[in-house]
Amino acid sequence: MDEHESDNKSRGHGYKKGHEDSKEELLEQYYAQNTGPGKKLTDDAGFKISNDRWSLRAGKRGPTLFQDFHFYRKQSHFSRERIPEKVVHARGDGAYGEFELYKSMKHVTKAHFLQEPGSKTPVFVRFSNFIGSKGSKDTAIDIRGFATKFYTQEGNYDNLALSFAIFAIMDAMKFADFTHAVKPNPRTGVPQATIAHDNTWDYVANNQEIAHFIMWLMSARGRPRSWRMMGGWPVNTFRFINEQGKSTFVRFKWEPVLGVHSLLLDEANIIGGVDPDFHRRDLHEAIECGAYPEYELGVQLIDEEDQYNYDFDILDDTKLWPEEVIPVDYIGKMTLNRLVDNHFAEEEQSSFDPATVVPGIDFTDDPVLQGRSFAYRDTDYHRLGTANINNIPVNQPIVEKNTNQRQGVARHRIDVDSVNYHENSLAGNTPAETPPDEGGYAHYPEKVDGHKTRERPGESFYDFFSQPRLYWNSLSPVEKQHTVETFNFHLSYVQSKSVRQQVVDMFANVDKGMATAIAEHINVNPPKGSNVPVSASSPALSEANTPHYAYTQKVGVLIANGFHGEEVRSTLDFLQHCGVFMDIISERFGMVTGSDGTTIEVTDTFTATYPVLYDSLYVVGGKADNEAKFMQDVMEFVNMAYKHYKPIGVATTGQSCIPMSKKNNLAGVVFAANNTDFGEDFVAAIAQQRFWNRT
């Protein structure tokens, strides 16, 4: 094992020299290691540095000399280490993996990576928040980005998804206005990473096409538990094109294998302060432990001739395609199994563009997609400062590139051709075009006619409330309650009573009872209108119907000396066997010792961790040096977990930590005393995740 390989393995990145992953092989040539035995510090030009600690001065106490080029180069490079931050989706993280196809889609698309079942395609995925700056928090109430770059044998394909099935606008013309409205106030620069301010809700009330988007944002979907437990929808309508040239409309969906799960509003707000990197840390921990995040790719298909058969326009991005009407066919699974080696070089410089497609995937006249197909590349020309975006290693395709494009900032490729134009005779008219029947990209020859206009594409684009009503009808009673609470939280920060009233009147169109409850909380008049007459629901939209597992749920083990060794060790071993993540929390680092001499290493202390960071607690208890402080810390954890409806396992030595009264029913609290099935019962409770019937 060479030094580089050893270094990467020690960091849990799974790097192996000569790995069969073709993208990893491409990246390997760019890996460099600056540290290790025999490594000497050099300038970027290659000469060795004799002193990297003190600048060159005129006399011992004199001024720095201009001729100290090493200081100049070091400082000037540092001054340029930052590139322009993304206007949206600034805060994120990414990982590599692979996509394996379940079933051939040859009947609808000629895309090479969707032809042969069992075929694998390397991918890079970036998760991100929409609103906040790069320095904001992971758990903000926000829509998330879920961008996937497929490194296919026909070139890169970028699948840009969001964590909602719908978007906020109907036409790309409004994107700048929407973004301005959700960003901090331009006069004060606050608030950061939240829509709890007047400008956003003024925009909402006066641009009511956003109603469906806001319903998703105010629901649990706006605060995912983990990127590993978050769905993804590209929201736009694309075309599949097969070998015969037949077009089929398609929307994509990413479904997490672990199910879709969320934080409570209170949890999200607290975690944002105590661990702003919560989602990043969660992703790293899972991959480093080998609990690789998995997502199934689904497609919804509509034949060209059936596009007008629905009560919504299939090109309207504020409308979803109900799964009960247009079923999702799951065609493959993506597994993320490797972290980046350098956050800036790979994650920060990654570039995604919905116009990066391969033969067999094409655009529609979706008004938002039409604008996005221009905006993304244009944005990254500015942000990355070069036209050579796809020369950056993370963005490079795994196939050969032959272009007539030359020069530009950061052009590392050395093109040795004397001819750089098309058509030519000096180079035999190469690089040559490839006919569509041999794999060249060709757009679908859709017939287009009509007058130039700024009209909406169809009457159903004016229906702002039928699908938000469908969404509301689909939520469980608990989800509805949490949605109202999230509305109340955000609107409580809105100073303008007029805006608050407009919002309440607007959302009466979705549900009058919901709007009335909000009105009572924010001190405005009850709405006069009523909701649209839609009674349909979609069970697929409720998190109550998502899969639940104990696997990778995180348990905080609260422990001190004197615990029952055999009981606790057996429980911890069983939790580990079930793939549960655990932190051993006590008053200080070191070892805790059971009554039978069993020792367990402490990984975290009460001083440096918080109850909201855990999905469940295992209360072991015991005898601490500072018994009063230990019990105070344990009770703080127990009370918070109980308040948030989380499962709690209680060892025989921990029963005194669970206060019992006629006022609590202890739903979701599992006791080890006199319970031979404690391990199984506790894991079942962990899998359930929340006990909404708790009192």
Side-chain angles (χ1 to χ4, degrees):
M1 180 184 296
D2 67 23
E3 183 180 279
H4 185 193
E5 183 179 350
S6 174
D7 176 68
N8 278 279
K9 280 195 171 184
S10 69
R11 287 178 282 141
H13 289 195
Y15 172 77
K16 295 180 181 179
K17 193 171 184 179
H19 192 280
E20 64 181 7
D21 184 332
S22 51
K23 179 60 182 180
E24 194 165 344
E25 290 178 355
L26 184 151
L27 289 172
E28 183 181 355
Q29 64 184 301
Y30 298 100
Y31 290 143
Q33 187 170 352
N34 299 289
T35 58
K39 295 282 188 177
K40 301 295 185 182
L41 184 66
T42 74
D43 184 271
D44 59 6
F47 60 80
K48 294 182 177 67
I49 304 299
S50 63
N51 192 317
D52 191 50
R53 292 158 289 132
W54 291 96
S55 54
L56 188 66
R57 297 184 303 283
K60 192 172 182 177
R61 300 177 64 82
T64 298
L65 295 175
F66 185 74
Q67 71 184 65
D68 189 354
F69 57 84
H70 176 55
F71 166 74
Y72 167 74
R73 291 183 181 183
K74 183 179 181 180
Q75 180 59 44
S76 61
H77 188 286
F78 175 78
S79 300
R80 292 162 176 79
E81 281 187 356
R82 297 296 179 265
I83 61 176
E85 183 178 283
K86 290 173 179 281
V87 176
V88 293
H89 296 287
R91 182 174 182 80
D93 204 355
Y96 293 97
E98 66 179 15
F99 172 77
E100 181 174 2
L101 187 67
Y102 290 160
K103 57 191 294 186
S104 175
M105 298 304 293
K106 187 175 183 179
H107 60 293
V108 289
T109 179
K110 60 184 178 181
H112 180 270
F113 77 105
L114 297 178
Q115 300 300 297
E116 296 296 329
S119 63
K120 297 181 179 179
T121 304
V123 298
F124 177 75
V125 173
R126 182 178 188 266
F127 302 104
S128 57
N129 286 16
F130 180 85
I131 301 174
S133 68
K134 189 177 177 182
S136 59
K137 59 186 180 182
D138 284 351
T139 58
I141 311 303
D142 198 356
I143 191 172
R144 267 72 183 175
F146 186 152
T148 304
K149 187 181 294 292
F150 292 82
Y151 301 103
T152 86
Q153 296 300 318
E154 297 178 294
N156 290 350
Y157 164 54
D158 289 351
N159 180 289
L160 285 84
L162 298 171
S163 58
F164 299 173
I166 40 79
F167 198 39
I169 55 176
M170 293 177 168
D171 190 289
M173 180 70 83
K174 301 183 77 169
F175 184 74
D177 298 314
F178 163 62
T179 303
H180 287 165
V182 300
K183 286 289 188 175
N185 183 289
R187 184 174 62 84
T188 63
V190 296
Q192 175 61 245
T194 180
I195 61 165
H197 58 99
D198 289 46
N199 284 6
T200 296
W201 291 97
D202 180 51
Y203 179 90
V204 168
N206 290 279
N207 295 268
Q208 296 190 3
E209 70 196 62
I210 201 174
H212 196 184
F213 178 90
I214 294 298
M215 288 300 298
W216 281 67
L217 185 62
M218 295 294 99
S219 76
R221 299 272 185 171
R223 43 183 193 272
R225 158 61 181 85
S226 164
W227 291 328
R228 301 178 294 114
M229 305 169 193
M230 179 182 80
W233 292 263
V235 306
N236 297 125
T237 301
F238 288 87
R239 293 180 189 272
F240 272 158
I241 311 295
N242 66 12
E243 287 286 359
Q244 292 72 45
K246 182 180 184 300
S247 166
T248 303
F249 293 106
V250 59
R251 280 197 182 182
F252 299 95
K253 178 186 179 182
W254 291 106
E255 183 72 18
V257 171
L258 291 177
V260 176
H261 302 284
S262 299
L263 299 167
L264 300 180
L265 175 64
D266 191 45
E267 289 177 305
N269 286 335
I270 296 172
I271 292 172
V274 301
D275 185 6
D277 301 306
F278 183 71
H279 286 151
R280 296 186 186 200
R281 201 182 309 279
D282 174 84
L283 179 70
H284 290 202
E285 180 179 14
I287 292 178
E288 288 171 347
C289 289
Y292 300 139
E294 296 177 319
Y295 310 83
E296 289 189 303
L297 178 62
V299 294
Q300 292 176 285
L301 303 174
I302 294 178
D303 289 334
E304 186 95 13
E305 58 271 21
D306 294 335
Q307 63 176 302
Y308 300 110
N309 292 353
Y310 306 96
D311 59 2
F312 56 88
D313 196 308
I314 69 168
L315 301 183
D316 181 354
D317 294 336
T318 66
K319 310 292 195 301
L320 55 80
W321 294 4
E323 294 183 23
E324 292 76 16
V325 178
I326 307 162
V328 177
D329 186 10
Y330 291 98
I331 64 172
K333 183 172 72 174
M334 177 171 69
T335 303
L336 302 182
N337 53 26
R338 186 167 63 87
L339 297 171
V340 301
D341 284 286
N342 184 287
H343 184 82
F344 176 82
E346 296 170 275
E347 192 279 335
E348 183 67 19
Q349 290 195 118
S350 63
S351 175
F352 296 87
D353 180 0
T356 298
V357 293
V358 291
I361 302 176
D362 202 353
F363 310 123
T364 64
D365 295 333
D366 175 333
V368 175
L369 177 59
Q370 291 287 313
R372 292 181 84 201
S373 65
F374 157 79
Y376 279 69
R377 176 55 68 94
D378 185 65
T379 297
D380 277 353
Y381 282 154
H382 164 70
R383 189 177 70 87
L384 296 173
T386 177
N388 295 314
I389 291 171
N390 285 334
N391 284 350
I392 298 171
V394 67
N395 301 321
Q396 283 196 26
I398 60 175
V399 295
E400 183 179 0
K401 292 188 300 179
N402 299 304
T403 79
N404 287 317
Q405 295 170 336
R406 295 292 187 271
Q407 301 175 10
V409 174
R411 182 74 173 189
H412 299 292
R413 174 170 165 154
I414 302 174
D415 301 286
V416 297
D417 312 273
S418 61
V419 173
N420 60 352
Y421 51 87
H422 191 83
E423 299 171 302
N424 67 70
S425 62
L426 293 176
N429 205 25
T430 60
E433 298 168 326
T434 303
D437 59 1
E438 295 179 15
Y441 191 91
H443 290 277
Y444 178 70
E446 179 185 12
K447 181 180 179 181
V448 178
D449 58 22
H451 301 285
K452 293 180 181 179
T453 180
R454 294 190 186 272
E455 297 174 287
R456 298 190 184 195
E459 286 302 311
S460 65
F461 273 73
Y462 289 91
D463 180 2
F464 300 154
F465 299 108
S466 291
Q467 284 212 348
R469 175 68 179 173
L470 169 75
Y471 187 71
W472 174 257
N473 292 343
S474 305
L475 300 180
S476 69
V478 168
E479 289 174 308
K480 289 180 178 180
Q481 175 189 338
H482 292 166
T483 299
V484 171
E485 291 172 356
T486 309
F487 267 108
N488 290 343
F489 172 82
H490 286 85
L491 290 169
S492 294
Y493 285 88
V494 175
Q495 301 300 306
S496 169
K497 189 171 184 178
S498 170
V499 170
R500 298 200 305 271
Q501 186 69 61
Q502 290 176 64
V503 171
V504 165
D505 293 341
M506 170 184 171
F507 280 94
N509 292 285
V510 176
D511 188 81
K512 186 171 184 179
M514 175 188 74
T516 301
I518 296 170
E520 292 174 354
H521 186 86
I522 61 173
N523 190 31
V524 297
N525 296 325
K528 296 180 180 179
S530 188
N531 46 264
V532 295
V534 174
S535 59
S537 64
S538 172
L541 298 178
S542 172
E543 289 188 25
N545 302 318
T546 199
H548 288 68
Y549 303 101
Y551 181 66
T552 77
Q553 290 286 294
K554 195 165 190 178
V555 175
V557 181
L558 313 182
I559 193 169
N561 293 313
F563 57 88
H564 190 298
E566 182 180 355
E567 174 194 303
V568 172
R569 173 48 63 194
S570 175
T571 300
L572 296 182
D573 289 346
F574 188 70
L575 293 177
Q576 186 175 31
H577 171 75
C578 294
V580 174
F581 292 171
M582 292 175 285
D583 284 348
I584 310 299
I585 307 169
S586 193
E587 57 184 342
R588 63 171 62 88
F589 286 118
M591 307 297 288
V592 286
T593 305
S595 57
D596 61 353
T598 298
T599 59
I600 297 174
E601 184 177 2
V602 174
T603 62
D604 291 86
T605 67
F606 288 108
T607 305
T609 192
Y610 299 85
V612 289
L613 303 179
Y614 298 96
D615 301 300
S616 177
L617 297 181
Y618 178 32
V619 183
V620 177
K623 298 178 181 179
D625 293 341
N626 187 339
E627 189 68 20
K629 180 64 167 61
F630 177 78
M631 286 301 297
Q632 180 183 351
D633 290 333
V634 169
M635 292 309 302
E636 179 183 351
F637 271 67
V638 169
N639 290 337
M640 184 69 77
Y642 198 85
K643 173 186 175 183
H644 291 153
Y645 310 97
K646 295 177 179 180
I648 301 173
V650 186
T652 54
T653 51
Q655 287 188 209
S656 62
C657 303
I658 306 299
M660 302 181 189
S661 72
K662 294 181 180 179
K663 295 181 179 180
N664 59 37
N665 61 9
L666 299 185
V669 180
V670 184
F671 292 92
N674 303 315
N675 183 359
T676 57
D677 297 324
F678 172 70
E680 291 83 355
D681 292 346
F682 186 29
V683 166
I686 294 170
Q688 184 170 327
Q689 300 182 20
R690 306 278 187 180
F691 289 82
W692 302 121
N693 62 333
R694 178 177 287 171
T695 58

